[in-house]
Amino acid sequence: MVIFHFMFDQMLLFCIPLLVVALAGLFSERSGVVNIALEGIMIFGAFIGILLMYFLQTYEILSGQALLLVCILAAAIAGGLFSLFHAVASVSFGADQTISGTALNLLAPAIGVFVAKLIFNGTDSISFKNEFIISRVPVLTDIPFIGELLFTNFYLTTFLGIFILIGTWFFFYKTKFGLRMRACGEFPQAADAAGINVGKMRYLGVIISGVLAGVGGIIYVIPVTTSFDSQVAGYGFLALAVLIFGNWKPWRIATASVFFAICKTISTTYVIVPVLLNSGISPTYYKLLPYVATLILLAFTSKNSAAPKACGEPYDKSKR
């Protein structure tokens, strides 16, 4: 039970940021803009959030869960603003969306390292204290089985990720605004003819994507390190794979996130599971498991891909 509890906690730590960032990509691509800049936006959002956290902790202005929420908000705003570069290039200038996204992926870590070195006398990482784990919640922790799994030694961000998943599903399938955004990614000419401002909807899609990717960045960083060096271990790219495997649908994205998180958990915790440790399989194969699983699944599922039809195509009003 102890091993299972530990592995479940690890799985959540991998799953939640992956889920949030993949949903971030969903907003952009459902509106018609390919967003391969998720990695860069994650890094920039996390950088601003962790930098703010450093100063608030150093000067003892805030602490605990209030500090975490303020820094998540800062990461969200930073991610939204950073994604504006992608929106302007893709929507207003009709630039190649892949090139624009690649530029942001290269720019974000460079900014993070440069600014950190300026502030911290040549050190390219930002240290912070992880004071955000919640050991138990009265009443909820005492619920048999579920209380032990979900309400013991957990992060508030776990429930934030679940809330974002439900909110995303509700937005796309239960609101007129979400339906309009989906129309812009499928048939922008028809949406325009119906009076929908395609450019405005795509701007909003990219900005919401940036907000969520920024949140995903800081959610990823906090549980795994106390020294952020403007890297997120390729989670933004893995989130793109999850988005494709999830067929651009919220609940399938959630399923894909859980699958990849389980693979990642096995690759990092196999040493504490006697069956896996004594199986005779080389540790190298365990390390490769998440990436090999990604390649295999994408190879088998790409044929049935249901990507938004106009995703990646700059909207030209004259083609109506």
PDB file of all heavy atoms in Angstrom, residues 94-112:
ATOM      1  N   GLY A  94       0.081  36.627 -40.430  1.00  0.00           N
ATOM      2  CA  GLY A  94      -0.035  35.418 -41.245  1.00  0.00           C
ATOM      3  C   GLY A  94       1.284  34.678 -41.410  1.00  0.00           C
ATOM      4  O   GLY A  94       1.511  34.016 -42.430  1.00  0.00           O
ATOM      5  N   ALA A  95       2.156  34.775 -40.415  1.00  0.00           N
ATOM      6  CA  ALA A  95       3.475  34.130 -40.494  1.00  0.00           C
ATOM      7  C   ALA A  95       3.350  32.612 -40.336  1.00  0.00           C
ATOM      8  O   ALA A  95       2.312  32.102 -39.885  1.00  0.00           O
ATOM      9  CB  ALA A  95       4.380  34.686 -39.400  1.00  0.00           C
ATOM     10  N   ASP A  96       4.384  31.913 -40.716  1.00  0.00           N
ATOM     11  CA  ASP A  96       4.427  30.461 -40.521  1.00  0.00           C
ATOM     12  C   ASP A  96       4.371  30.173 -39.021  1.00  0.00           C
ATOM     13  O   ASP A  96       5.251  30.588 -38.261  1.00  0.00           O
ATOM     14  CB  ASP A  96       5.716  29.902 -41.128  1.00  0.00           C
ATOM     15  CG  ASP A  96       5.726  28.373 -41.111  1.00  0.00           C
ATOM     16  OD1 ASP A  96       5.552  27.793 -40.027  1.00  0.00           O
ATOM     17  OD2 ASP A  96       5.910  27.777 -42.182  1.00  0.00           O
ATOM     18  N   GLN A  97       3.342  29.466 -38.592  1.00  0.00           N
ATOM     19  CA  GLN A  97       3.112  29.265 -37.161  1.00  0.00           C
ATOM     20  C   GLN A  97       4.165  28.363 -36.513  1.00  0.00           C
ATOM     21  O   GLN A  97       4.450  28.473 -35.328  1.00  0.00           O
ATOM     22  CB  GLN A  97       1.705  28.701 -36.949  1.00  0.00           C
ATOM     23  CG  GLN A  97       0.630  29.675 -37.405  1.00  0.00           C
ATOM     24  CD  GLN A  97      -0.753  29.078 -37.513  1.00  0.00           C
ATOM     25  OE1 GLN A  97      -1.004  27.982 -37.014  1.00  0.00           O
ATOM     26  NE2 GLN A  97      -1.661  29.784 -38.165  1.00  0.00           N
ATOM     27  N   THR A  98       4.736  27.474 -37.299  1.00  0.00           N
ATOM     28  CA  THR A  98       5.795  26.606 -36.767  1.00  0.00           C
ATOM     29  C   THR A  98       7.047  27.416 -36.458  1.00  0.00           C
ATOM     30  O   THR A  98       7.681  27.242 -35.409  1.00  0.00           O
ATOM     31  CB  THR A  98       6.129  25.494 -37.771  1.00  0.00           C
ATOM     32  OG1 THR A  98       4.939  24.783 -38.090  1.00  0.00           O
ATOM     33  CG2 THR A  98       7.154  24.535 -37.196  1.00  0.00           C
ATOM     34  N   ILE A  99       7.386  28.322 -37.377  1.00  0.00           N
ATOM     35  CA  ILE A  99       8.588  29.146 -37.163  1.00  0.00           C
ATOM     36  C   ILE A  99       8.378  30.086 -35.977  1.00  0.00           C
ATOM     37  O   ILE A  99       9.270  30.258 -35.131  1.00  0.00           O
ATOM     38  CB  ILE A  99       8.898  29.943 -38.442  1.00  0.00           C
ATOM     39  CG1 ILE A  99       9.296  28.980 -39.568  1.00  0.00           C
ATOM     40  CG2 ILE A  99      10.009  30.953 -38.191  1.00  0.00           C
ATOM     41  CD1 ILE A  99       9.502  29.643 -40.900  1.00  0.00           C
ATOM     42  N   SER A 100       7.198  30.668 -35.896  1.00  0.00           N
ATOM     43  CA  SER A 100       6.907  31.571 -34.779  1.00  0.00           C
ATOM     44  C   SER A 100       7.012  30.830 -33.443  1.00  0.00           C
ATOM     45  O   SER A 100       7.611  31.325 -32.482  1.00  0.00           O
ATOM     46  CB  SER A 100       5.496  32.143 -34.958  1.00  0.00           C
ATOM     47  OG  SER A 100       5.106  32.836 -33.816  1.00  0.00           O
ATOM     48  N   GLY A 101       6.437  29.627 -33.396  1.00  0.00           N
ATOM     49  CA  GLY A 101       6.499  28.845 -32.154  1.00  0.00           C
ATOM     50  C   GLY A 101       7.913  28.439 -31.797  1.00  0.00           C
ATOM     51  O   GLY A 101       8.312  28.490 -30.628  1.00  0.00           O
ATOM     52  N   THR A 102       8.684  28.068 -32.813  1.00  0.00           N
ATOM     53  CA  THR A 102      10.077  27.686 -32.562  1.00  0.00           C
ATOM     54  C   THR A 102      10.874  28.857 -31.994  1.00  0.00           C
ATOM     55  O   THR A 102      11.705  28.685 -31.089  1.00  0.00           O
ATOM     56  CB  THR A 102      10.734  27.197 -33.874  1.00  0.00           C
ATOM     57  OG1 THR A 102       9.973  26.113 -34.403  1.00  0.00           O
ATOM     58  CG2 THR A 102      12.165  26.756 -33.638  1.00  0.00           C
ATOM     59  N   ALA A 103      10.602  30.044 -32.531  1.00  0.00           N
ATOM     60  CA  ALA A 103      11.313  31.235 -32.037  1.00  0.00           C
ATOM     61  C   ALA A 103      11.036  31.455 -30.548  1.00  0.00           C
ATOM     62  O   ALA A 103      11.963  31.753 -29.773  1.00  0.00           O
ATOM     63  CB  ALA A 103      10.877  32.456 -32.846  1.00  0.00           C
ATOM     64  N   LEU A 104       9.789  31.281 -30.136  1.00  0.00           N
ATOM     65  CA  LEU A 104       9.470  31.463 -28.710  1.00  0.00           C
ATOM     66  C   LEU A 104      10.123  30.380 -27.853  1.00  0.00           C
ATOM     67  O   LEU A 104      10.548  30.648 -26.723  1.00  0.00           O
ATOM     68  CB  LEU A 104       7.951  31.445 -28.506  1.00  0.00           C
ATOM     69  CG  LEU A 104       7.162  32.610 -29.101  1.00  0.00           C
ATOM     70  CD1 LEU A 104       5.721  32.575 -28.628  1.00  0.00           C
ATOM     71  CD2 LEU A 104       7.785  33.945 -28.742  1.00  0.00           C
ATOM     72  N   ASN A 105      10.189  29.169 -28.399  1.00  0.00           N
ATOM     73  CA  ASN A 105      10.842  28.086 -27.643  1.00  0.00           C
ATOM     74  C   ASN A 105      12.325  28.377 -27.411  1.00  0.00           C
ATOM     75  O   ASN A 105      12.896  27.966 -26.399  1.00  0.00           O
ATOM     76  CB  ASN A 105      10.692  26.762 -28.388  1.00  0.00           C
ATOM     77  CG  ASN A 105       9.294  26.188 -28.268  1.00  0.00           C
ATOM     78  OD1 ASN A 105       8.582  26.471 -27.304  1.00  0.00           O
ATOM     79  ND2 ASN A 105       8.890  25.392 -29.233  1.00  0.00           N
ATOM     80  N   LEU A 106      12.944  29.048 -28.368  1.00  0.00           N
ATOM     81  CA  LEU A 106      14.369  29.390 -28.209  1.00  0.00           C
ATOM     82  C   LEU A 106      14.547  30.627 -27.342  1.00  0.00           C
ATOM     83  O   LEU A 106      15.521  30.740 -26.592  1.00  0.00           O
ATOM     84  CB  LEU A 106      14.991  29.631 -29.595  1.00  0.00           C
ATOM     85  CG  LEU A 106      15.043  28.423 -30.530  1.00  0.00           C
ATOM     86  CD1 LEU A 106      15.518  28.841 -31.912  1.00  0.00           C
ATOM     87  CD2 LEU A 106      15.955  27.335 -29.971  1.00  0.00           C
ATOM     88  N   LEU A 107      13.589  31.553 -27.456  1.00  0.00           N
ATOM     89  CA  LEU A 107      13.716  32.836 -26.757  1.00  0.00           C
ATOM     90  C   LEU A 107      13.517  32.707 -25.240  1.00  0.00           C
ATOM     91  O   LEU A 107      14.262  33.310 -24.460  1.00  0.00           O
ATOM     92  CB  LEU A 107      12.680  33.806 -27.329  1.00  0.00           C
ATOM     93  CG  LEU A 107      12.693  35.240 -26.796  1.00  0.00           C
ATOM     94  CD1 LEU A 107      14.031  35.913 -27.113  1.00  0.00           C
ATOM     95  CD2 LEU A 107      11.536  36.040 -27.399  1.00  0.00           C
ATOM     96  N   ALA A 108      12.537  31.904 -24.829  1.00  0.00           N
ATOM     97  CA  ALA A 108      12.165  31.850 -23.403  1.00  0.00           C
ATOM     98  C   ALA A 108      13.318  31.415 -22.488  1.00  0.00           C
ATOM     99  O   ALA A 108      13.615  32.120 -21.506  1.00  0.00           O
ATOM    100  CB  ALA A 108      10.956  30.943 -23.218  1.00  0.00           C
ATOM    101  N   PRO A 109      13.985  30.275 -22.750  1.00  0.00           N
ATOM    102  CA  PRO A 109      15.082  29.910 -21.839  1.00  0.00           C
ATOM    103  C   PRO A 109      16.231  30.905 -21.872  1.00  0.00           C
ATOM    104  O   PRO A 109      16.888  31.127 -20.845  1.00  0.00           O
ATOM    105  CB  PRO A 109      15.521  28.524 -22.352  1.00  0.00           C
ATOM    106  CG  PRO A 109      14.983  28.420 -23.735  1.00  0.00           C
ATOM    107  CD  PRO A 109      13.760  29.258 -23.781  1.00  0.00           C
ATOM    108  N   ALA A 110      16.440  31.528 -23.039  1.00  0.00           N
ATOM    109  CA  ALA A 110      17.519  32.524 -23.133  1.00  0.00           C
ATOM    110  C   ALA A 110      17.202  33.722 -22.243  1.00  0.00           C
ATOM    111  O   ALA A 110      18.079  34.219 -21.514  1.00  0.00           O
ATOM    112  CB  ALA A 110      17.685  32.967 -24.586  1.00  0.00           C
ATOM    113  N   ILE A 111      15.955  34.180 -22.272  1.00  0.00           N
ATOM    114  CA  ILE A 111      15.559  35.304 -21.401  1.00  0.00           C
ATOM    115  C   ILE A 111      15.715  34.919 -19.929  1.00  0.00           C
ATOM    116  O   ILE A 111      16.243  35.677 -19.112  1.00  0.00           O
ATOM    117  CB  ILE A 111      14.092  35.712 -21.691  1.00  0.00           C
ATOM    118  CG1 ILE A 111      13.971  36.335 -23.077  1.00  0.00           C
ATOM    119  CG2 ILE A 111      13.589  36.685 -20.630  1.00  0.00           C
ATOM    120  CD1 ILE A 111      12.533  36.660 -23.472  1.00  0.00           C
ATOM    121  N   GLY A 112      15.249  33.707 -19.595  1.00  0.00           N
ATOM    122  CA  GLY A 112      15.321  33.251 -18.206  1.00  0.00           C
ATOM    123  C   GLY A 112      16.744  33.229 -17.673  1.00  0.00           C
ATOM    124  O   GLY A 112      17.033  33.747 -16.587  1.00  0.00           O
TER     125      GLY A 112
END
